[in-house]
Structures are given as structure tokens and as C-alpha cells.
mmCIF file of all heavy atoms in Angstrom:
data_model
loop_
_atom_site.group_PDB
_atom_site.id
_atom_site.type_symbol
_atom_site.label_atom_id
_atom_site.label_comp_id
_atom_site.label_asym_id
_atom_site.label_seq_id
_atom_site.Cartn_x
_atom_site.Cartn_y
_atom_site.Cartn_z
ATOM 1 N N ALA A 15 9.293 8.530 56.376
ATOM 2 C CA ALA A 15 8.024 9.002 56.922
ATOM 3 C C ALA A 15 7.353 8.003 57.871
ATOM 4 O O ALA A 15 6.287 8.307 58.386
ATOM 5 C CB ALA A 15 7.063 9.359 55.764
ATOM 6 N N LEU A 16 7.997 6.853 58.104
ATOM 7 C CA LEU A 16 7.470 5.946 59.130
ATOM 8 C C LEU A 16 7.389 6.644 60.499
ATOM 9 O O LEU A 16 6.592 6.298 61.339
ATOM 10 C CB LEU A 16 8.357 4.727 59.232
ATOM 11 C CG LEU A 16 8.143 3.608 58.216
ATOM 12 C CD1 LEU A 16 9.202 2.532 58.353
ATOM 13 C CD2 LEU A 16 6.754 3.003 58.337
ATOM 14 N N GLY A 17 8.279 7.654 60.691
ATOM 15 C CA GLY A 17 8.205 8.435 61.927
ATOM 16 C C GLY A 17 6.893 9.138 62.075
ATOM 17 O O GLY A 17 6.308 9.190 63.167
ATOM 18 N N SER A 18 6.369 9.720 60.979
ATOM 19 C CA SER A 18 5.051 10.355 61.015
ATOM 20 C C SER A 18 3.953 9.350 61.160
ATOM 21 O O SER A 18 2.959 9.590 61.806
ATOM 22 C CB SER A 18 4.844 11.177 59.703
ATOM 23 O OG SER A 18 5.836 12.171 59.589
ATOM 24 N N PHE A 19 4.151 8.160 60.565
ATOM 25 C CA PHE A 19 3.162 7.070 60.705
ATOM 26 C C PHE A 19 3.021 6.728 62.215
ATOM 27 O O PHE A 19 1.897 6.541 62.692
ATOM 28 C CB PHE A 19 3.681 5.882 59.943
ATOM 29 C CG PHE A 19 2.794 4.641 60.133
ATOM 30 C CD1 PHE A 19 1.799 4.324 59.226
ATOM 31 C CD2 PHE A 19 3.023 3.733 61.181
ATOM 32 C CE1 PHE A 19 1.000 3.199 59.410
ATOM 33 C CE2 PHE A 19 2.239 2.605 61.337
ATOM 34 C CZ PHE A 19 1.214 2.355 60.459
ATOM 35 N N LEU A 20 4.120 6.665 62.912
ATOM 36 C CA LEU A 20 4.087 6.365 64.345
ATOM 37 C C LEU A 20 3.260 7.385 65.108
ATOM 38 O O LEU A 20 2.458 7.054 66.007
ATOM 39 C CB LEU A 20 5.495 6.308 64.922
ATOM 40 C CG LEU A 20 6.369 5.158 64.453
ATOM 41 C CD1 LEU A 20 7.830 5.380 64.939
ATOM 42 C CD2 LEU A 20 5.857 3.817 64.997
ATOM 43 N N TYR A 21 3.413 8.646 64.748
ATOM 44 C CA TYR A 21 2.701 9.738 65.435
ATOM 45 C C TYR A 21 1.184 9.584 65.193
ATOM 46 O O TYR A 21 0.365 9.626 66.132
ATOM 47 C CB TYR A 21 3.201 11.065 64.917
ATOM 48 C CG TYR A 21 2.597 12.277 65.620
ATOM 49 C CD1 TYR A 21 2.206 12.226 66.956
ATOM 50 C CD2 TYR A 21 2.473 13.473 64.947
ATOM 51 C CE1 TYR A 21 1.682 13.345 67.599
ATOM 52 C CE2 TYR A 21 1.961 14.610 65.557
ATOM 53 C CZ TYR A 21 1.555 14.538 66.896
ATOM 54 O OH TYR A 21 1.042 15.654 67.516
ATOM 55 N N GLY A 22 0.802 9.381 63.934
ATOM 56 C CA GLY A 22 -0.609 9.213 63.626
ATOM 57 C C GLY A 22 -1.220 7.969 64.271
ATOM 58 O O GLY A 22 -2.364 8.014 64.766
ATOM 59 N N TYR A 23 -0.463 6.892 64.298
ATOM 60 C CA TYR A 23 -0.942 5.642 64.896
ATOM 61 C C TYR A 23 -1.183 5.844 66.383
ATOM 62 O O TYR A 23 -2.229 5.505 66.919
ATOM 63 C CB TYR A 23 0.065 4.549 64.641
ATOM 64 C CG TYR A 23 -0.321 3.185 65.273
ATOM 65 C CD1 TYR A 23 -1.076 2.282 64.522
ATOM 66 C CD2 TYR A 23 0.088 2.854 66.546
ATOM 67 C CE1 TYR A 23 -1.403 1.074 65.073
ATOM 68 C CE2 TYR A 23 -0.278 1.630 67.079
ATOM 69 C CZ TYR A 23 -1.024 0.751 66.334
ATOM 70 O OH TYR A 23 -1.387 -0.477 66.898
ATOM 71 N N ASP A 24 -0.187 6.411 67.081
ATOM 72 C CA ASP A 24 -0.281 6.592 68.494
ATOM 73 C C ASP A 24 -1.365 7.554 68.918
ATOM 74 O O ASP A 24 -2.045 7.373 69.934
ATOM 75 C CB ASP A 24 1.073 7.030 69.088
ATOM 76 C CG ASP A 24 1.295 6.537 70.509
ATOM 77 O OD1 ASP A 24 0.393 6.791 71.336
ATOM 78 O OD2 ASP A 24 2.319 5.908 70.775
ATOM 79 N N LEU A 25 -1.564 8.619 68.134
ATOM 80 C CA LEU A 25 -2.634 9.579 68.419
ATOM 81 C C LEU A 25 -3.990 8.901 68.390
ATOM 82 O O LEU A 25 -4.905 9.244 69.160
ATOM 83 C CB LEU A 25 -2.605 10.700 67.399
ATOM 84 C CG LEU A 25 -1.558 11.829 67.605
ATOM 85 C CD1 LEU A 25 -1.645 12.787 66.422
ATOM 86 C CD2 LEU A 25 -1.772 12.554 68.919
ATOM 87 N N THR A 26 -4.145 7.902 67.493
ATOM 88 C CA THR A 26 -5.437 7.286 67.265
ATOM 89 C C THR A 26 -5.763 6.211 68.295
ATOM 90 O O THR A 26 -6.881 6.128 68.773
ATOM 91 C CB THR A 26 -5.499 6.722 65.838
ATOM 92 O OG1 THR A 26 -5.158 7.747 64.899
ATOM 93 C CG2 THR A 26 -6.904 6.207 65.535
ATOM 94 N N ILE A 27 -4.804 5.364 68.605
ATOM 95 C CA ILE A 27 -5.116 4.192 69.443
ATOM 96 C C ILE A 27 -5.383 4.569 70.883
ATOM 97 O O ILE A 27 -6.054 3.827 71.608
ATOM 98 C CB ILE A 27 -3.965 3.166 69.426
ATOM 99 C CG1 ILE A 27 -2.659 3.754 70.002
ATOM 100 C CG2 ILE A 27 -3.763 2.619 68.029
ATOM 101 C CD1 ILE A 27 -1.575 2.707 70.220
ATOM 102 N N VAL A 28 -4.963 5.783 71.283
ATOM 103 C CA VAL A 28 -5.149 6.127 72.702
ATOM 104 C C VAL A 28 -6.644 6.244 73.068
ATOM 105 O O VAL A 28 -6.990 5.947 74.214
ATOM 106 C CB VAL A 28 -4.423 7.462 73.016
ATOM 107 C CG1 VAL A 28 -5.123 8.654 72.352
ATOM 108 C CG2 VAL A 28 -4.311 7.693 74.522
ATOM 109 N N ALA A 29 -7.493 6.587 72.113
ATOM 110 C CA ALA A 29 -8.936 6.639 72.425
ATOM 111 C C ALA A 29 -9.468 5.271 72.843
ATOM 112 O O ALA A 29 -10.260 5.140 73.744
ATOM 113 C CB ALA A 29 -9.708 7.158 71.225
ATOM 114 N N GLU A 30 -9.024 4.215 72.100
ATOM 115 C CA GLU A 30 -9.432 2.843 72.435
ATOM 116 C C GLU A 30 -8.805 2.371 73.755
ATOM 117 O O GLU A 30 -9.439 1.735 74.584
ATOM 118 C CB GLU A 30 -9.091 1.914 71.293
ATOM 119 C CG GLU A 30 -9.571 0.478 71.500
ATOM 120 C CD GLU A 30 -8.493 -0.420 72.196
ATOM 121 O OE1 GLU A 30 -7.353 0.011 72.247
ATOM 122 O OE2 GLU A 30 -8.899 -1.488 72.724
ATOM 123 N N VAL A 31 -7.530 2.720 73.914
ATOM 124 C CA VAL A 31 -6.797 2.228 75.138
ATOM 125 C C VAL A 31 -7.454 2.764 76.390
ATOM 126 O O VAL A 31 -7.730 1.970 77.335
ATOM 127 C CB VAL A 31 -5.314 2.694 75.034
ATOM 128 C CG1 VAL A 31 -4.631 2.470 76.384
ATOM 129 C CG2 VAL A 31 -4.611 1.903 73.931
ATOM 130 N N VAL A 32 -7.707 4.084 76.473
ATOM 131 C CA VAL A 32 -8.197 4.640 77.734
ATOM 132 C C VAL A 32 -9.658 4.354 77.960
ATOM 133 O O VAL A 32 -10.165 4.616 79.056
ATOM 134 C CB VAL A 32 -7.948 6.165 77.759
ATOM 135 C CG1 VAL A 32 -6.451 6.505 77.687
ATOM 136 C CG2 VAL A 32 -8.736 6.905 76.685
ATOM 137 N N SER A 33 -10.364 3.817 76.966
ATOM 138 C CA SER A 33 -11.784 3.538 77.148
ATOM 139 C C SER A 33 -12.064 2.044 77.265
ATOM 140 O O SER A 33 -13.194 1.634 77.597
ATOM 141 C CB SER A 33 -12.593 4.082 75.920
ATOM 142 O OG SER A 33 -12.202 3.421 74.734
ATOM 143 N N SER A 34 -11.080 1.182 77.050
ATOM 144 C CA SER A 34 -11.297 -0.268 77.112
ATOM 145 C C SER A 34 -11.507 -0.666 78.574
ATOM 146 O O SER A 34 -10.856 -0.206 79.492
ATOM 147 C CB SER A 34 -10.124 -1.033 76.515
ATOM 148 O OG SER A 34 -8.953 -0.788 77.258
ATOM 149 N N GLY A 35 -12.469 -1.595 78.758
ATOM 150 C CA GLY A 35 -12.819 -2.018 80.108
ATOM 151 C C GLY A 35 -11.666 -2.663 80.819
ATOM 152 O O GLY A 35 -11.457 -2.482 82.024
ATOM 153 N N SER A 36 -10.841 -3.457 80.098
ATOM 154 C CA SER A 36 -9.734 -4.155 80.713
ATOM 155 C C SER A 36 -8.681 -3.149 81.201
ATOM 156 O O SER A 36 -8.073 -3.338 82.279
ATOM 157 C CB SER A 36 -9.101 -5.130 79.714
ATOM 158 O OG SER A 36 -8.671 -4.460 78.536
ATOM 159 N N PHE A 37 -8.451 -2.086 80.466
ATOM 160 C CA PHE A 37 -7.458 -1.039 80.893
ATOM 161 C C PHE A 37 -7.972 -0.367 82.167
ATOM 162 O O PHE A 37 -7.212 -0.149 83.105
ATOM 163 C CB PHE A 37 -7.259 -0.033 79.765
ATOM 164 C CG PHE A 37 -6.313 1.053 80.070
ATOM 165 C CD1 PHE A 37 -4.947 0.894 79.853
ATOM 166 C CD2 PHE A 37 -6.720 2.279 80.624
ATOM 167 C CE1 PHE A 37 -4.027 1.915 80.146
ATOM 168 C CE2 PHE A 37 -5.839 3.303 80.937
ATOM 169 C CZ PHE A 37 -4.473 3.097 80.685
ATOM 170 N N LEU A 38 -9.254 0.009 82.164
ATOM 171 C CA LEU A 38 -9.798 0.699 83.303
ATOM 172 C C LEU A 38 -9.805 -0.184 84.561
ATOM 173 O O LEU A 38 -9.530 0.310 85.661
ATOM 174 C CB LEU A 38 -11.228 1.177 83.002
ATOM 175 C CG LEU A 38 -11.335 2.224 81.856
ATOM 176 C CD1 LEU A 38 -12.806 2.487 81.526
ATOM 177 C CD2 LEU A 38 -10.630 3.509 82.251
ATOM 178 N N SER A 39 -10.101 -1.462 84.394
ATOM 179 C CA SER A 39 -10.135 -2.346 85.565
ATOM 180 C C SER A 39 -8.730 -2.680 86.044
ATOM 181 O O SER A 39 -8.506 -2.903 87.248
ATOM 182 C CB SER A 39 -10.893 -3.639 85.231
ATOM 183 O OG SER A 39 -10.231 -4.345 84.158
ATOM 184 N N PHE A 40 -7.752 -2.757 85.108
ATOM 185 C CA PHE A 40 -6.379 -3.117 85.471
ATOM 186 C C PHE A 40 -5.709 -1.981 86.244
ATOM 187 O O PHE A 40 -4.974 -2.233 87.217
ATOM 188 C CB PHE A 40 -5.575 -3.435 84.208
ATOM 189 C CG PHE A 40 -4.247 -4.048 84.456
ATOM 190 C CD1 PHE A 40 -4.115 -5.417 84.671
ATOM 191 C CD2 PHE A 40 -3.090 -3.271 84.498
ATOM 192 C CE1 PHE A 40 -2.869 -5.995 84.908
ATOM 193 C CE2 PHE A 40 -1.839 -3.829 84.751
ATOM 194 C CZ PHE A 40 -1.723 -5.240 84.955
ATOM 195 N N PHE A 41 -5.926 -0.749 85.820
ATOM 196 C CA PHE A 41 -5.217 0.398 86.452
ATOM 197 C C PHE A 41 -6.110 1.237 87.357
ATOM 198 O O PHE A 41 -5.539 2.011 88.209
ATOM 199 C CB PHE A 41 -4.617 1.292 85.369
ATOM 200 C CG PHE A 41 -3.533 0.623 84.547
ATOM 201 C CD1 PHE A 41 -3.767 0.289 83.220
ATOM 202 C CD2 PHE A 41 -2.302 0.311 85.107
ATOM 203 C CE1 PHE A 41 -2.821 -0.318 82.439
ATOM 204 C CE2 PHE A 41 -1.328 -0.301 84.316
ATOM 205 C CZ PHE A 41 -1.569 -0.628 83.021
ATOM 206 N N SER A 42 -7.442 1.187 87.171
ATOM 207 C CA SER A 42 -8.365 2.042 87.925
ATOM 208 C C SER A 42 -7.933 3.465 87.944
ATOM 209 O O SER A 42 -7.772 4.108 89.013
ATOM 210 C CB SER A 42 -8.472 1.496 89.357
ATOM 211 O OG SER A 42 -8.950 0.170 89.408
ATOM 212 N N PRO A 43 -7.732 4.084 86.776
ATOM 213 C CA PRO A 43 -7.202 5.483 86.740
ATOM 214 C C PRO A 43 -8.306 6.489 87.041
ATOM 215 O O PRO A 43 -9.484 6.245 86.764
ATOM 216 C CB PRO A 43 -6.719 5.600 85.297
ATOM 217 C CG PRO A 43 -7.605 4.693 84.534
ATOM 218 C CD PRO A 43 -7.907 3.516 85.433
ATOM 219 N N SER A 44 -7.901 7.624 87.603
ATOM 220 C CA SER A 44 -8.812 8.738 87.781
ATOM 221 C C SER A 44 -8.951 9.469 86.460
ATOM 222 O O SER A 44 -8.241 9.212 85.497
ATOM 223 C CB SER A 44 -8.291 9.685 88.867
ATOM 224 O OG SER A 44 -7.071 10.278 88.407
ATOM 225 N N THR A 45 -9.890 10.472 86.425
ATOM 226 C CA THR A 45 -10.039 11.271 85.197
ATOM 227 C C THR A 45 -8.752 11.996 84.835
ATOM 228 O O THR A 45 -8.368 12.074 83.670
ATOM 229 C CB THR A 45 -11.177 12.290 85.414
ATOM 230 O OG1 THR A 45 -12.367 11.599 85.734
ATOM 231 C CG2 THR A 45 -11.373 13.125 84.170
ATOM 232 N N THR A 46 -8.070 12.535 85.837
ATOM 233 C CA THR A 46 -6.820 13.230 85.584
ATOM 234 C C THR A 46 -5.746 12.287 85.058
ATOM 235 O O THR A 46 -4.985 12.630 84.144
ATOM 236 C CB THR A 46 -6.318 13.904 86.892
ATOM 237 O OG1 THR A 46 -7.273 14.812 87.369
ATOM 238 C CG2 THR A 46 -5.019 14.642 86.643
ATOM 239 N N GLN A 47 -5.705 11.050 85.603
ATOM 240 C CA GLN A 47 -4.704 10.098 85.156
ATOM 241 C C GLN A 47 -4.985 9.682 83.696
ATOM 242 O O GLN A 47 -4.062 9.431 82.930
ATOM 243 C CB GLN A 47 -4.706 8.885 86.060
ATOM 244 C CG GLN A 47 -4.078 9.178 87.425
ATOM 245 C CD GLN A 47 -4.184 8.002 88.360
ATOM 246 O OE1 GLN A 47 -5.192 7.249 88.388
ATOM 247 N NE2 GLN A 47 -3.141 7.795 89.159
ATOM 248 N N ILE A 48 -6.247 9.577 83.334
ATOM 249 C CA ILE A 48 -6.598 9.219 81.932
ATOM 250 C C ILE A 48 -6.106 10.328 81.039
ATOM 251 O O ILE A 48 -5.555 10.075 79.945
ATOM 252 C CB ILE A 48 -8.129 9.043 81.804
ATOM 253 C CG1 ILE A 48 -8.574 7.731 82.495
ATOM 254 C CG2 ILE A 48 -8.512 8.999 80.308
ATOM 255 C CD1 ILE A 48 -10.048 7.523 82.484
ATOM 256 N N GLY A 49 -6.260 11.571 81.482
ATOM 257 C CA GLY A 49 -5.756 12.701 80.686
ATOM 258 C C GLY A 49 -4.237 12.623 80.525
ATOM 259 O O GLY A 49 -3.718 12.967 79.434
ATOM 260 N N LEU A 50 -3.520 12.150 81.546
ATOM 261 C CA LEU A 50 -2.081 12.050 81.471
ATOM 262 C C LEU A 50 -1.637 11.018 80.418
ATOM 263 O O LEU A 50 -0.596 11.211 79.750
ATOM 264 C CB LEU A 50 -1.493 11.676 82.841
ATOM 265 C CG LEU A 50 -1.367 12.812 83.860
ATOM 266 C CD1 LEU A 50 -0.936 12.250 85.232
ATOM 267 C CD2 LEU A 50 -0.370 13.874 83.372
ATOM 268 N N VAL A 51 -2.400 9.947 80.293
ATOM 269 C CA VAL A 51 -2.061 8.908 79.307
ATOM 270 C C VAL A 51 -2.006 9.542 77.887
ATOM 271 O O VAL A 51 -1.084 9.248 77.104
ATOM 272 C CB VAL A 51 -3.073 7.765 79.313
ATOM 273 C CG1 VAL A 51 -2.818 6.787 78.172
ATOM 274 C CG2 VAL A 51 -2.996 7.045 80.639
ATOM 275 N N ALA A 52 -2.949 10.390 77.625
ATOM 276 C CA ALA A 52 -2.991 11.043 76.297
ATOM 277 C C ALA A 52 -1.955 12.165 76.187
ATOM 278 O O ALA A 52 -1.237 12.274 75.193
ATOM 279 C CB ALA A 52 -4.377 11.582 76.034
ATOM 280 N N SER A 53 -1.855 12.982 77.220
ATOM 281 C CA SER A 53 -1.056 14.209 77.079
ATOM 282 C C SER A 53 0.435 14.012 77.291
ATOM 283 O O SER A 53 1.236 14.812 76.797
ATOM 284 C CB SER A 53 -1.568 15.241 78.099
ATOM 285 O OG SER A 53 -1.443 14.769 79.447
ATOM 286 N N LEU A 54 0.861 12.962 77.992
ATOM 287 C CA LEU A 54 2.301 12.791 78.215
ATOM 288 C C LEU A 54 3.056 12.491 76.919
ATOM 289 O O LEU A 54 4.264 12.755 76.837
ATOM 290 C CB LEU A 54 2.553 11.703 79.267
ATOM 291 C CG LEU A 54 2.605 12.181 80.698
ATOM 292 C CD1 LEU A 54 2.873 11.005 81.657
ATOM 293 C CD2 LEU A 54 3.682 13.239 80.886
ATOM 294 N N LEU A 55 2.378 11.901 75.936
ATOM 295 C CA LEU A 55 3.025 11.643 74.644
ATOM 296 C C LEU A 55 3.527 12.967 74.038
ATOM 297 O O LEU A 55 4.693 13.079 73.633
ATOM 298 C CB LEU A 55 2.100 10.953 73.686
ATOM 299 C CG LEU A 55 2.722 10.619 72.297
ATOM 300 C CD1 LEU A 55 3.475 9.292 72.380
ATOM 301 C CD2 LEU A 55 1.688 10.584 71.216
#
């Protein structure tokens, strides 16, 4: 069930990743690109 653990973990951390100031300044993503980070998984 570590495979399910990975799914739950990844679903959760994406909220912090796409909202962190360092991520936004490093990549300067558009709103659509931010959506892609979450949805491509």
C-alpha cells in the first residue's frame, strides 16, 4: 500500500508547491501552467 501512500502524499504537497513564493519566482508560471502542475499527475 506504499503505492497508495505515494498518491495521497503527492495530491497533498502540490498545494504548497504551486503557492510557495520560491516556486513562483523560479518558474513564473501562468494560471494555466499552475493548473498543469496539478493536473498532469
Side-chain angles (χ1 to χ4, degrees):
L16 280 174
S18 299
F19 176 93
L20 292 170
Y21 185 30
Y23 180 89
D24 209 307
L25 281 175
T26 306
I27 63 170
V28 70
E30 184 269 344
V31 169
V32 299
S33 63
S34 63
S36 57
F37 180 88
L38 296 174
S39 62
F40 190 84
F41 295 110
S42 300
S44 65
T45 301
T46 302
Q47 289 176 321
I48 290 176
L50 281 173
V51 173
S53 60
L54 271 181
L55 181 86

